[in-house]
Amino acid sequence: MTVSATAFPDIAPGGPVYRVLLIEDDEGDALLVEELLHDTGLRFELTTRTSLADSRADLTAAPFDCILLDLHLPDVSGTQAVTAVRSLAPHTAVIVLTGLSESQAGPDAMAAGAQDYLVKGTVEADLLRRTLSYAVYRSQTERAGAEAQAVRMRAEENARLERGLLPQPILDTSTVRVTSRYLPGRELALLGGDFLDVVECDDGLLRAVVGDVSGHGPDAAALGVCLRIAWRSLVLGGHRGPDLLHLMERILIAERGTHPLFATCALLTLDEKAGTATLHLAGHHEPLLTTPAGTVEVRAAHGIALGIAPDLCHWPATAIPLPDHGALTLYTDGLTEGHNGTVDGRLGVEGLLALIEQLPSADPAVHVDRLIKETHALNAGRHSDDLAVLRLDWGTG
């Protein structure tokens, strides 16, 4: 039986509408509770059930603000009734209804998770109004506190996990300015499969990597972290170019197990003194070169993605002459595969370059943030992919 607040025309409009579930097998007691709710002056929607079994569908289908629970039901009784209801509706206020002879039943029920208790035969409308209002308020406060704690824990976990994908660059004497951004594509995801890193090696050259593991979810994220850590260890150990990519591919194959994952990546070696950069592409797209004349896509030779054809091992090098001051931007396809503001069109590299031309000159970090914001605005949530951006600026000092 369900009774709506609109069934009582003398109740003044305004104020919250309390969604109440009454679980009571005694028809007379259920009628008294209904009349008392009417006398409280509260606006409410009442659903009445006679057993826990009959209530399960209601508890899982629609949220309630408060559950009025008789402790002696045909299928469950005592604190077990409270525990069962709380397991089905952990964020709903529970007020138990006890008998006059059950002096300890109320406190025991509260210890089991109920917000409050009322003794049948002694309840007046004013007491019910105060008890119900306070129980709902307390339950909502507890829920808000739990959600805030979950957000804090998630933020802490996010910070710990993102250190695996966004490590601190190792820069000793280099004057190159490093700007990096990372955003997982899935809503509420902590990590995605993209990765990036920058280190200055003992030879004084700056080396960088940006990569993208196929797929989404924890397997892709774990493999991305693994490849990022492997890259840093191998490059600091002196491995370069095709040799470095071959070892990364071996690690990928060993770590992916039975999952058909592969990875694209771009390796960059920047020699600021010589004014050159060396690029190796493993299934990845070219970076962008920004000079005083504007931003263009670098023309470079391509090699195959890691894990696609392990025996091929073909990753040609491309030498890039650099101006006295400028920037190289490496990124994953989350920046270009989104929509361009139309129904079916994708942004692509041409759209990205056109967008960059429209952006005012700004600090590199501000520029990258503005670029990501604008691409997301054009996409309007229609395409979801992980995103990693690494910008290296030199000659600005």
Side-chain angles (χ1 to χ4, degrees):
M1 177 177 65
T2 301
V3 179
S4 172
T6 57
F8 305 109
D10 55 325
I11 296 178
V17 176
Y18 292 98
R19 294 157 297 179
V20 181
L21 174 63
L22 172 62
I23 309 178
E24 170 65 74
D25 64 325
D26 187 296
E27 187 175 339
D29 287 343
L31 181 60
L32 287 175
V33 170
E34 180 185 325
E35 292 176 349
L36 282 170
L37 281 171
H38 179 207
D39 292 340
T40 62
L42 297 173
R43 303 173 69 231
F44 65 91
E45 294 176 354
L46 177 64
T47 300
T48 302
R49 296 290 180 259
T50 58
S51 68
L52 179 63
D54 291 340
S55 306
R56 289 182 181 275
D58 298 287
L59 290 170
T60 55
F64 288 94
D65 297 305
C66 183
I67 300 170
L68 299 175
L69 176 65
D70 179 29
L71 286 184
H72 298 286
L73 298 172
D75 49 355
V76 66
S77 63
T79 57
Q80 292 181 349
V82 178
T83 302
V85 168
R86 292 286 292 175
S87 67
L88 293 171
H91 301 299
T92 301
V94 177
I95 301 173
V96 300
L97 305 175
T98 70
L100 286 170
S101 61
E102 301 173 297
S103 59
Q104 191 58 36
D108 289 346
M110 292 184 65
Q115 267 68 37
D116 211 331
Y117 69 95
L118 295 169
V119 180
K120 294 181 181 180
T122 66
V123 182
E124 296 180 352
D126 187 55
L127 175 60
L128 178 58
R129 178 182 56 79
R130 293 197 309 269
T131 303
L132 191 150
S133 300
Y134 177 72
V136 171
Y137 171 77
R138 180 181 172 188
S139 178
Q140 292 174 343
T141 301
E142 291 174 352
R143 180 176 183 177
E147 290 176 347
Q149 177 65 13
V151 169
R152 287 193 294 270
M153 293 179 65
R154 188 177 186 86
E156 293 172 0
E157 183 69 7
N158 193 30
R160 287 194 297 269
L161 292 174
E162 282 191 351
R163 281 196 292 269
L165 291 179
L166 282 177
Q168 287 296 318
I170 299 178
L171 303 176
D172 297 324
T173 62
S174 176
T175 59
V176 174
R177 178 172 177 178
V178 177
T179 303
S180 62
R181 296 292 185 268
Y182 172 80
L183 294 171
R186 295 178 302 127
E187 185 178 1
L188 300 181
L190 295 176
L191 296 174
D194 293 0
F195 58 95
L196 56 85
D197 202 355
V198 180
V199 299
E200 180 183 352
C201 295
D202 293 338
D203 57 9
L205 302 185
L206 202 69
R207 290 179 169 83
V209 64
V210 166
D212 182 357
V213 177
S214 62
H216 302 281
D219 293 323
L223 188 55
V225 172
C226 178
L227 291 176
R228 201 283 303 167
I229 295 173
W231 177 86
R232 175 173 281 203
S233 301
L234 290 169
V235 78
L236 288 174
H239 295 278
R240 305 289 183 260
D243 172 55
L244 172 58
L245 288 167
H246 172 62
L247 293 175
M248 291 178 64
E249 186 171 54
R250 290 185 61 186
I251 292 170
L252 180 149
I253 293 170
E255 293 294 330
R256 71 184 178 184
T258 59
H259 300 285
L261 300 174
F262 63 91
T264 70
C265 68
L267 304 184
L268 181 73
T269 301
L270 194 152
D271 187 340
E272 188 177 3
K273 292 182 180 179
T276 61
T278 303
L279 183 66
H280 291 85
L281 299 178
H284 210 79
H285 45 73
E286 296 93 335
L288 305 179
L289 175 62
T290 299
T291 69
T295 299
V296 297
E297 186 179 35
V298 173
R299 294 185 177 275
H302 285 263
I304 196 166
L306 306 182
I308 296 292
D311 297 329
L312 188 58
C313 296
H314 178 67
W315 300 288
T318 298
I320 307 169
L322 302 178
D324 292 337
H325 62 276
L328 278 166
T329 302
L330 295 86
Y331 60 94
T332 57
D333 53 18
L335 193 63
T336 55
E337 287 194 348
H339 288 258
N340 61 2
T342 64
V343 176
D344 299 319
R346 299 289 183 173
L347 184 65
V349 177
E350 292 184 2
L352 182 65
L353 291 173
L355 185 60
I356 290 174
E357 287 184 3
Q358 299 173 13
L359 295 180
S361 299
D363 174 84
V366 174
H367 186 273
V368 171
D369 288 337
R370 180 73 179 273
L371 184 61
I372 293 174
K373 180 180 178 181
E374 294 294 332
T375 58
H376 281 189
L378 289 172
N379 183 45
R382 286 172 288 184
H383 176 76
S384 177
D385 199 0
D386 305 324
L387 169 63
V389 179
L390 177 63
R391 173 168 165 157
L392 306 175
D393 286 76
W394 64 88
T396 57

